[in-house]
Amino acid sequence: MTNESKISRLAGALYLVVVMTGLFSLMYVPSQITVSGDSHATINNIVAHSSLFRAGIAAFLIKQVAFLLLPLVLFRLLRPVHQSIAALMVALAVVSVPIALVSLVNRLDALDILIGSYSQAHTPAQLQAQALLSLNAYGNGLLVTTLFWGLWLLPFGYLVIRSGFLPKILGAFLVLGGLGYVAQVFWQILVPNLSFPDFLLFPAAVGEIGICLWLLVAGVRKRQPSAA
């Protein structure tokens, strides 16, 4: 196995961790906990399913560690295509990690407010209000994080397209997916009362899962980079 193949497999493995922990913490856990339009039911679910809520927090932490390492490994693989754009890719990905971790603190705060020792000194109504504030702060932080989750896919997708050793179609999906994430962020800020069209996030799912599996299973073809 060549050095490039080893780097590709490592990148694919890290990406798989990011994808799996992301699906669990950002999709499965909220689907079991959050009740749309009913904050009281959501709070009750957090208390009733605190172990699942904690597992989601733990998975999100693992996701951030893997996502911190992933662009560094991809940089080694894609640097020959265009070093400056590869560095931009790393910067846009890495900057999202501290924002996400700071946001996650609010989720821990909500848990402590509801079932920690803090809960004994306040009325249920006060606890619910404070917990909702923490959850809203987490959601706002996650929205800002999503901006960078979209932005890093733009240089990443470009490098995949220009590489000559990774499928161009996956690079195109990554770019479209990045634009979809960015559009979602500004949509929620500017027109929060209208639902974002979920189909615009489909390219991101195809591109990220596709490139993850390609790196992990197929690796890289013989390097034939286009002129950068």
Side-chain angles (χ1 to χ4, degrees):
M1 182 180 291
T2 65
N3 187 53
E4 283 185 347
S5 295
K6 291 179 181 178
I7 295 173
S8 171
R9 298 296 193 275
L10 177 58
L14 287 170
Y15 221 139
L16 184 62
V17 173
V18 170
V19 169
M20 296 305 294
T21 54
L23 288 174
F24 180 76
S25 63
L26 298 174
M27 295 185 68
Y28 177 74
V29 173
S31 73
Q32 301 300 305
I33 298 290
T34 305
V35 179
S36 179
D38 192 339
S39 59
H40 182 70
T42 298
I43 293 297
N44 288 339
N45 283 340
I46 292 174
V47 175
H49 305 288
S50 60
S51 295
L52 179 62
F53 193 75
R54 291 181 186 276
I57 293 173
F60 193 79
L61 284 172
I62 295 171
K63 177 184 186 295
Q64 297 314 306
V65 173
F67 194 61
L68 184 63
L69 299 174
L70 173 61
L72 301 178
V73 177
L74 288 173
F75 178 80
R76 293 186 60 189
L77 188 68
L78 296 169
R79 176 175 54 186
V81 180
H82 197 300
Q83 183 164 334
S84 297
I85 294 179
L88 177 63
M89 173 192 70
V90 173
L92 290 172
V94 169
V95 76
S96 74
V97 174
I99 301 173
L101 292 176
V102 170
S103 301
L104 187 64
V105 172
N106 292 292
R107 203 167 183 179
L108 287 167
D109 287 344
L111 192 62
D112 189 51
I113 288 169
L114 293 172
I115 62 177
S117 58
Y118 183 79
S119 64
Q120 300 174 3
H122 295 79
T123 66
Q126 290 174 326
L127 293 173
Q128 179 172 327
Q130 293 175 22
L132 287 174
L133 284 175
S134 293
L135 292 174
N136 286 337
Y138 163 75
N140 291 334
L142 196 63
L143 183 65
V144 176
T145 307
T146 302
L147 175 65
F148 293 97
W149 286 346
L151 289 176
W152 94 284
L153 292 179
L154 302 181
F156 180 28
Y158 172 83
L159 291 168
V160 170
I161 292 171
R162 297 296 299 271
S163 67
F165 52 83
L166 292 169
K168 286 179 168 52
I169 185 63
L170 291 179
F173 274 116
L174 289 170
V175 171
L176 291 174
L179 293 173
Y181 278 133
V182 173
Q184 180 190 33
V185 171
F186 286 99
W187 181 290
Q188 292 185 14
I189 292 173
L190 297 174
V191 283
N193 295 324
L194 294 178
S195 298
F196 181 76
D198 289 337
F199 71 87
L200 293 179
L201 299 179
F202 178 74
V206 174
E208 293 201 85
I209 294 175
I211 198 67
C212 165
L213 296 178
W214 186 277
L215 290 169
L216 190 60
V217 178
V220 295
R221 296 192 290 255
K222 182 179 180 181
R223 187 181 292 276
Q224 295 177 335
S226 304

